[in-house]
Amino acid sequence: MNRSDGSELPPILGMLTDASVAKHIGRAVQTGQERPPQVALRRAAETLGAAQRWRTEPVRVLVDEAMRRFEGRRTAADGWFAPRLHATLRMTRAEAADGRLWNFIAMVVAPDYVVWRHRGSDTDGAPGAATAARFCGPHYTQAFSRLWWAAELFRDGSDYRPTETACQVQDVLQTTMRLDVIDHRPTAQAILRVLERRLAAGVSRPGDQANALSAAVNAAGSTLVYDVLAPDRPADTDALQDWIDDAEDAAAAPWDRLPEGPQDGEVSRASIDALIPIFEQLLAEAPIRDRSARKGGVPDPRLPEGVSLTKPSDHL
Amino acid sequence: MTAVFPYPTIFGDVELRVMSVSVDNRELPYAMISATDRAVALHQAGRGAWERARLRLSVTFPEAEISSGPWSDVVFLAVLSEKATNARTTAVLSRSADGTMQGTIELDSVAHLRRATLGVSVVATVEGVAGRLVGSATQDWYVDLKASTPARQREIDIVEVDFKEGEHEWLRPYKESAWIVETTGDVPTVYLNTGAIEGLMVALRGSGGSPAERMLRDLAATQIAQDAWTAMFHTAVSDLDTDEDGTPMLPKGWRESVLRSMLPDVLPGRQPTDALYEIVERRTKGYGWAEIQTGVQFAAGRRSRATRNLTNAVRSVQNLEGAGGAR
């Protein structure tokens, strides 16, 4: 595939270790002035198999369309991109947890997207840069893995609509997605339902609500066991595998309507409903930090004050 | 972490044991379950591709305390989770004839990558509030998916490769270097450059030989080990997770082993967690960081047996000179 800048994309996706990409993430790459050295990176990469799902082109097509559609309003791209990336790069969680694939996409397939989406504002004549963690970083920060995982953690079986809700409030991706409590699907869905109600009511600064709610749910989760209050069904692994296998002949993800996710089981309605009143109460009692007072030219550094980033498993 | 709960919790010990494991309906050899390390080794030679493992669990608990205590609707919940894959599976245990709580939890291979953590939560209604955590297993178990024996400590990989012409592209810039230590991955790796110094590989691989050869081998090995320990220490203390009040926590895997082993030498006389706190303070605030380096060097040197090997080397040099002088 020929790119407008003359370089050619590899037909198949690959994997790049953190060590092999770290040295190429420099200022010039982070600001988009230079493309990471393609030849060196491709030589260092391990190529994935010949399956359709590892083809580069469908991912690149989505990237181009995201940048075209959301020109000038880049944060809105997440809600469109996340479900379509998830439905295009069909894989298991074990595969997605391997950061090497995400490194490859950010460094070889679409470094321009990373900069387009995550570039900071220009300061004193110096061009704004995307942080290194957007190229190679944890699952909730890296430019592509955060989208894939947002879709994976917030989808309700094959229904990606909750993912769109989650992406509507950036703080959900930035704060909520780091928390271990949302690995319990009914908890994740109930948080979104409570937020949806706030959004529908036209609350100002929904991000503050999302942060307060996530912090409260996470804190309460150290004494309340949501798994018992709201039992979840185990995911249907076979259905997931079928969906992944279908990638061989599946059509490209649609642009104007939502794709369909794996039919590996919906979250129990009763379980979500059991949690909603608890979360409503937690939010009502939670201190909501008003960030509107802090206005300046600088965007919020999204300090997680009042939000514990500690996951329960950190203590294990 | 010792949490404080605003309601009565169980005082006695809750102990978890993995009784047996079946993988795709075939029993896993018992040697793959280590009760002392509380570890299960699922990934074994000859059975790389599997779909589902079933772990049969047994939990002992202070029965008298629970039956007479202020708790109702007591549920024993086994929780299997892995941070890397955001996976979380739970199973409710039920009472068996021998008085323990037993049950089975399933582990899907597609939902896990490296190591899953298995714990038990005791949940009950307390003071009118349902679903409260009133106790948990004193120690968690670990299910290793990438280990052939159930051990939680990993060793160092040593790879011999030609930096200049070998398969690893990223090693090219270091082609003049005799070795490189890489600590970003799951297992720290020492890359020995077969192309840098002629004869070094032969010297390192040999055994016996003349005193001069032995000396060369010991010194080179010491030097490599020193570099490896130093690099591992610095990697292990960087990028630490912290708990709610900002206290750094010991990392997992080899990083934990390295810190547990080296911290007493880096900052003598302190608990590992206290020493870690001190180090992170110094690193982030910038004071006393240089002083730490002496401690790191000392700790790395001890582990690479620098003093012993150097002493031997000095002696052999003296012997060589002595032999030369007598001629």
Side-chain angles (χ1 to χ4, degrees), chain B residues 160 178-179 192 199-207 213 216-222 224:
Chain B
E160 291 178 21
W179 61 81
L192 295 174
L200 178 67
M201 286 308 122
V202 181
L204 275 175
R205 252 185 254 137
S207 60
E213 279 166 10
L216 173 67
R217 181 165 63 239
D218 287 350
L219 279 185
T222 302
I224 294 168

Side-chain angles (χ1 to χ4, degrees), chain B residues 164-239:
Chain B
K164 200 165 158 222
E165 277 150 22
E167 54 186 310
H168 298 285
E169 181 73 29
W170 64 275
L171 288 170
R172 298 270 188 283
Y174 311 112
K175 59 178 185 285
E176 318 248 301
S177 173
W179 61 81
I180 286 289
V181 183
E182 203 259 316
T183 54
T184 54
D186 281 343
V187 181
T189 308
V190 175
Y191 292 90
L192 295 174
N193 189 357
T194 54
I197 302 169
E198 285 175 11
L200 178 67
M201 286 308 122
V202 181
L204 275 175
R205 252 185 254 137
S207 60
S210 71
E213 279 166 10
R214 278 209 302 272
M215 179 184 90
L216 173 67
R217 181 165 63 239
D218 287 350
L219 279 185
T222 302
Q223 188 64 51
I224 294 168
Q226 171 103 24
D227 281 359
W229 280 105
T230 310
M232 289 192 294
F233 182 83
H234 283 289
T235 305
V237 293
S238 58
D239 203 18

Side-chain angles (χ1 to χ4, degrees), chain A:
Chain A
M1 184 169 39
N2 285 306
R3 305 261 313 116
S4 50
D5 59 3
S7 67
E8 197 176 275
L9 283 181
I12 312 275
L13 295 172
M15 301 198 285
L16 280 166
T17 61
D18 290 357
S20 59
V21 300
K23 60 175 180 287
H24 297 305
I25 306 175
R27 194 79 196 162
V29 167
Q30 288 170 256
T31 54
Q33 289 163 315
E34 274 176 27
R35 204 174 155 78
Q38 299 300 298
V39 177
L41 284 166
R42 285 179 61 178
R43 230 186 281 170
E46 207 176 300
T47 304
L48 288 159
Q52 287 291 317
R53 61 188 177 126
W54 302 132
R55 278 173 56 234
T56 307
E57 198 213 330
V59 177
R60 184 65 226 186
V61 166
L62 283 179
V63 166
D64 288 331
E65 179 61 15
M67 292 198 288
R68 192 190 67 77
R69 257 176 203 241
F70 297 94
E71 179 67 57
R73 47 190 189 111
R74 54 188 183 167
T75 47
D78 292 350
W80 183 87
F81 202 169
R84 289 164 181 87
L85 180 69
H86 187 268
T88 302
L89 271 177
R90 299 187 183 189
M91 54 185 164
T92 66
R93 288 187 173 204
E95 288 166 331
D98 189 335
R100 294 177 299 167
L101 169 66
W102 304 118
N103 290 343
F104 184 89
I105 297 179
M107 296 298 283
V108 177
V109 181
D112 50 339
Y113 172 82
V114 181
V115 176
W116 175 81
R117 173 64 187 85
H118 294 290
R119 210 180 122 146
S121 45
D122 298 350
T123 44
D124 300 333
T131 59
R134 297 297 186 181
F135 289 91
C136 169
H139 78 269
Y140 47 79
T141 307
Q142 205 269 359
F144 296 98
S145 75
R146 68 192 273 279
L147 296 174
W148 193 94
W149 280 106
E152 173 69 14
L153 294 170
F154 291 114
R155 72 184 167 85
D156 181 4
S158 63
D159 184 359
Y160 284 120
R161 278 175 301 176
T163 303
E164 288 187 315
T165 310
C167 295
Q168 230 176 316
V169 185
Q170 283 293 306
D171 296 73
V172 172
L173 294 199
Q174 278 152 5
T175 315
T176 317
M177 212 164 87
R178 302 182 182 206
L179 306 176
D180 263 0
V181 284
I182 64 150
D183 296 348
H184 178 240
R185 300 190 309 159
T187 299
Q189 294 301 324
I191 288 179
L192 293 181
R193 294 296 165 84
V194 173
L195 274 183
E196 250 167 22
R197 291 182 185 179
R198 294 296 192 281
L199 286 170
V203 72
S204 60
R205 293 183 306 280
D208 292 349
Q209 305 267 335
N211 277 332
L213 177 61
S214 311
V217 169
N218 191 48
S222 58
T223 60
L224 280 180
V225 181
Y226 301 131
D227 309 76
V228 170
L229 295 169
D232 192 14
R233 313 181 185 108
D236 182 347
T237 316
D238 296 335
L240 173 69
Q241 199 57 56
D242 286 346
W243 181 74
I244 293 174
D245 295 341
D246 283 347
E248 278 308 306
D249 349 87
W255 284 355
D256 292 321
R257 57 184 169 79
L258 275 176
E260 276 217 12
Q263 298 188 331
D264 57 352
E266 285 175 13
V267 182
S268 142
R269 220 56 23 193
S271 287
I272 302 174
D273 290 343
L275 290 176
I276 289 177
I278 300 175
F279 290 0
E280 281 286 3
Q281 197 190 344
L282 284 172
L283 180 56
E285 291 165 358
I288 295 179
R289 198 165 53 92
D290 181 358
R291 289 180 300 181
S292 63
R294 218 176 23 163
K295 280 256 157 60
V298 205
D300 274 353
R302 62 173 181 80
L303 279 180
E305 284 161 35
V307 178
S308 168
L309 297 183
T310 314
K311 296 178 157 200
S313 63
D314 288 344
H315 303 296
L316 298 173

Side-chain angles (χ1 to χ4, degrees), chain A residues 93 223 227 237 314 316, chain B residues 83 86 88 108 133 140 252:
Chain A
R93 288 187 173 204
T223 60
D227 309 76
T237 316
D314 288 344
L316 298 173
Chain B
K83 207 169 167 168
N86 296 299
R88 183 178 175 90
D108 273 319
L133 179 71
D140 290 330
K252 303 270 185 276

